[in-house]
Amino acid sequence: MTKAVHIDATDIVIDSEESDTILEAAEKSGYSIPYSCRKGVCSTCLGTLIKGEVQDRSINIKAPADSVYFCQAKPLTDVVIRPTDWTKYDPTSRKKLDAKIKKINWLSTDIAELVLRFPIGVRAIFNAGQYLNIIFDGQTRSYSMANPPHKNAEAVLHVRKYEGGLFSDAFLANASPNEKILVEVPFGDVQLTLDSHEPLIMLATGTGFAPVKSIMENLIHLNIKRPVHFFWGGRHEPDLYMSDLVKSWNEKLDWFTYTPVLSQPPEGWAGETGWVQSAALKHLKGHTQCSVYACGSNKMVSDARDLFIDAGLDIGDFHCDAFVPA
Ligand code: FES
C-alpha cells in the first residue's frame, strides 16, 4: 500500500511504494533531496522526521526524529519530513545504458583508468562531478566520471583496486576490451553551479580526484574563470596519482591554486602536511562566502562537513561525494 510523504512547509506530497526509500519515492515523483552514497554511510541525506514512522534497515523510527537517513528510510505510515533541501528533478534524466570496455590503463599500482564507451549515437547526459552506477552481479558499484560532460560518448572512471573487492578486484583483474557493462547514469550531489562566481574550494582524497578532474575540464572548456583552490590529500606522494596534470593547471591558469597535502610526507616535502580537510579549513580563514566540494573517503567528507559548518559555512554551500570501498 502506498504511503504519503509530505515535505514540511510545502504543498508537496509524494506517493511512496512499499519498497521505496524516501529518496527513491521523491525522485520518482520529480523531486531530489540531498544524497551522495545512497548506502547509509555518508550522512548527506540526513533529515528530520516530523510525523509518522519509518523503517531504516531493520530499525523502526517514530517521529519526532532528527537524524533520519532518507536514502534508507521506508515509510511505515504516512509521514511528514523536513529534508535539508529539495529541488525539482526529471526522473527520465537517469538512464540504463549498455556500455563496453574501451580500455583499462593503470595510473598507479592500485588505480585503474577504466574507459567505457557507449553504443554509436548514444550519449550519457551528466553534469561535471556526477557519478554512474555499474550494475554487476545483481549489485551496484558507484564511480564518478573523470571526463567532462561534453565528452559524453564515453565514461572515464578511476577505479581503486580493493583486495577482495567484487568489482575493483575480481572483475577488473580479468576484464578485457569490448566486454559489456550495464551502467545507470547520472547520480550525485556534486554538481557545479555554473552561474555562481563564488570561490570554489575542492577537497579530494584518492580517486575523489575523478569528479574534480571533470569539474576542472568543464570550467576550462566553458572558459569560466571562477577562483578554484584544490586540496588533494593522500598518505604518500604516489597517492596523488595525476599530480602532473594538476600542476600543469596550476602553472597555466591564474584562477586555479593547487595545494597537495600528505599525512606521511617524505623528507623535504614542500606541500601541506596532515589531513586535507584541516589544510583546507586553514585556507578558509573565516571567509565563508564560497562553495566547498569534498570528494573521497567517507571519513574525510564527514570530518570536512563538520569542520566547515562549524566554521560558519552554510550547509547549502557544502557538496560532497563520499566513496564507499567496492
Ligand atoms: S547516507 Fe544517505 S546518501 Fe549517504
Side-chain angles (χ1 to χ4, degrees):
M1 205 173 100
T2 59
K3 304 288 186 303
V5 178
H6 178 192
I7 299 185
D8 184 44
T10 72
D11 55 6
I12 299 168
V13 180
I14 292 158
D15 281 341
S16 175
E17 302 294 333
E18 206 162 325
S19 59
D20 286 340
T21 64
I22 288 175
L23 172 61
E24 288 165 344
E27 288 179 341
K28 283 184 189 169
S29 300
Y31 296 96
S32 183
I33 54 182
Y35 71 90
S36 177
C37 70
R38 303 174 80 95
K39 292 184 169 73
V41 175
C42 72
S43 307
T44 305
C45 63
L46 284 181
T48 305
L49 179 67
I50 293 173
K51 269 191 199 156
E53 185 174 359
V54 297
Q55 184 172 54
D56 176 350
R57 288 152 279 190
S58 55
I59 298 171
N60 289 10
I61 301 171
K62 282 191 175 149
D66 267 342
S67 300
V68 174
Y69 289 87
F70 290 147
C71 75
Q72 300 298 312
K74 297 178 179 175
L76 296 172
T77 64
D78 291 349
V79 294
V80 180
I81 62 162
R82 188 185 301 133
T84 52
D85 193 13
W86 62 269
T87 50
K88 282 275 198 189
Y89 165 77
D90 174 6
T92 64
S93 62
R94 187 173 296 155
K95 296 200 165 20
K96 286 191 177 146
L97 300 174
D98 283 315
K100 281 187 180 171
I101 294 177
K102 183 176 172 188
K103 59 184 172 186
I104 301 171
N105 299 322
W106 286 93
L107 301 172
S108 71
T109 50
D110 60 351
I111 294 173
E113 180 189 61
L114 171 64
V115 183
L116 304 179
R117 66 182 161 79
F118 300 112
I120 292 171
V122 174
R123 297 282 185 270
I125 308 300
F126 63 91
N127 293 318
Q130 287 194 295
Y131 69 86
L132 58 69
N133 275 346
I134 288 180
I135 302 166
F136 174 74
D137 258 9
Q139 299 189 39
T140 58
R141 293 292 183 264
S142 305
Y143 297 100
S144 296
M145 272 68 74
N147 49 317
H150 64 283
K151 294 191 175 171
N152 57 2
E154 57 187 34
V156 180
L157 314 175
H158 293 176
V159 181
R160 178 183 288 277
K161 185 176 165 192
Y162 288 97
E163 207 63 42
L166 176 71
F167 181 78
S168 68
D169 193 5
F171 176 79
L172 217 53
N174 302 306
S176 50
N178 285 324
E179 196 153 341
K180 279 189 184 171
I181 290 190
L182 180 64
V183 303
E184 190 169 19
V185 61
F187 292 87
D189 181 40
V190 178
Q191 297 180 46
L192 193 63
T193 313
L194 291 176
D195 53 0
S196 169
H197 299 288
E198 277 184 356
L200 264 181
I201 295 179
M202 295 200 280
L203 293 74
T205 52
T207 53
F209 174 63
V212 171
K213 178 172 174 289
S214 176
I215 288 171
M216 277 302 297
E217 290 181 352
N218 193 40
L219 288 174
I220 293 167
H221 171 69
L222 297 173
N223 199 24
I224 294 176
K225 297 177 179 171
R226 188 172 168 182
V228 175
H229 195 146
F230 172 45
F231 297 80
W232 193 1
R235 247 183 244 167
H236 308 289
E237 239 174 321
D239 293 339
L240 315 182
Y241 55 89
M242 290 188 104
S243 59
D244 285 350
L245 172 67
V246 184
K247 284 176 191 162
S248 75
W249 293 336
N250 204 30
E251 280 159 20
K252 282 189 283 200
L253 308 171
D254 59 6
W255 46 272
F256 177 80
T257 308
Y258 173 44
T259 301
V261 187
L262 292 183
S263 59
Q264 294 176 24
E267 195 84 9
W269 171 248
E272 287 274 354
T273 57
W275 299 116
V276 67
Q277 58 273 30
S278 307
L281 188 71
K282 209 163 66 182
H283 164 81
L284 199 66
K285 290 188 196 129
H287 300 297
T288 51
Q289 292 300 306
C290 61
S291 296
V292 176
Y293 289 74
C295 312
S297 72
N298 183 47
K299 173 160 176 38
M300 182 278 280
V301 166
S302 52
D303 281 1
R305 182 192 290 108
D306 292 348
L307 285 172
F308 279 89
I309 303 299
D310 282 355
L313 186 82
D314 191 287
I315 181 81
D317 288 326
F318 185 88
H319 308 271
C320 70
D321 193 357
F323 289 7
V324 180

